[in-house]
Amino acid sequence: MSTGPLIVLVGPMGSGKSTVGALLAERLGAPYRDTDADIVAAEGREISDIFVEDGEEHFRALERESVRAAVAEHTGVLALGGGAVLDAGTRALLTGLPVAYLSMDVEEAVRRVGLNTARPLLAVNPRRQWRELMEARRPLYTEVARVVVATDDKTPEEVADAVLDALELKKK
């Protein structure tokens, strides 16, 4: 029996990693885990509060440890925070795993994430910030991904089906 996650989801904030991850876990009869939720639970505060109070560098250190633990321990569907792929060590951990990159364009991101959110990296000029984040992150998402699934104009159910099909996994 192989170890490690059945599926790892990566992609930008708002791409549906949490929603699609929970659907995939249900369809596969497997547990679901979200590294951002792990951090919130461990810290007892929201990610936006960690950014404001302790800074992005501290959050990224928490994120690296959260991803390392999840990849080592979790055998179901795993969703990573949008910036997790920025760390070279995290990208190395994902090598050989069934990683699906949930992609979307900026207009879809605006519809999903909105402009008035508590997302710390989109605090000023969200459209420009999102485009800049994606310019830096898209190559990293692509680097770690076994498959890329566009989420634009798709329901979470359609995205989950596309991930299962792309990774050639069967529903239970």
Side-chain angles (χ1 to χ4, degrees), residues 89-154:
T90 294
R91 293 193 307 276
L93 278 177
L94 298 176
T95 301
L97 295 178
V99 178
Y101 162 30
L102 303 186
S103 69
M104 66 181 180
D105 68 22
V106 69
E107 295 310 317
E108 187 76 7
V110 168
R111 278 193 294 279
R112 292 186 192 176
V113 177
L115 301 178
N116 300 316
T117 68
R119 306 225 183 220
L121 294 178
L122 298 181
V124 178
N125 193 342
R127 285 175 193 257
R128 189 186 83 226
Q129 291 297 111
W130 194 87
R131 282 190 183 101
E132 288 174 4
L133 283 174
M134 286 307 300
E135 284 174 23
R137 295 178 182 182
R138 187 176 291 110
L140 304 177
Y141 293 138
T142 303
E143 174 188 326
V144 300
R146 185 177 297 173
V147 299
V148 178
V149 175
T151 66
D152 302 301
D153 301 318
K154 289 189 176 115

Side-chain angles (χ1 to χ4, degrees), residues 7-48:
I7 301 173
V8 179
L9 298 177
V10 299
M13 59 191 86
S15 63
K17 297 180 300 287
S18 297
T19 303
V20 171
L23 279 171
L24 287 167
E26 180 182 313
R27 290 180 184 189
L28 293 169
Y32 169 70
R33 185 167 175 178
D34 181 317
T35 58
D36 278 353
D38 288 351
I39 293 167
V40 169
E43 291 292 302
R45 55 194 171 138
E46 295 300 315
I47 289 170
S48 56

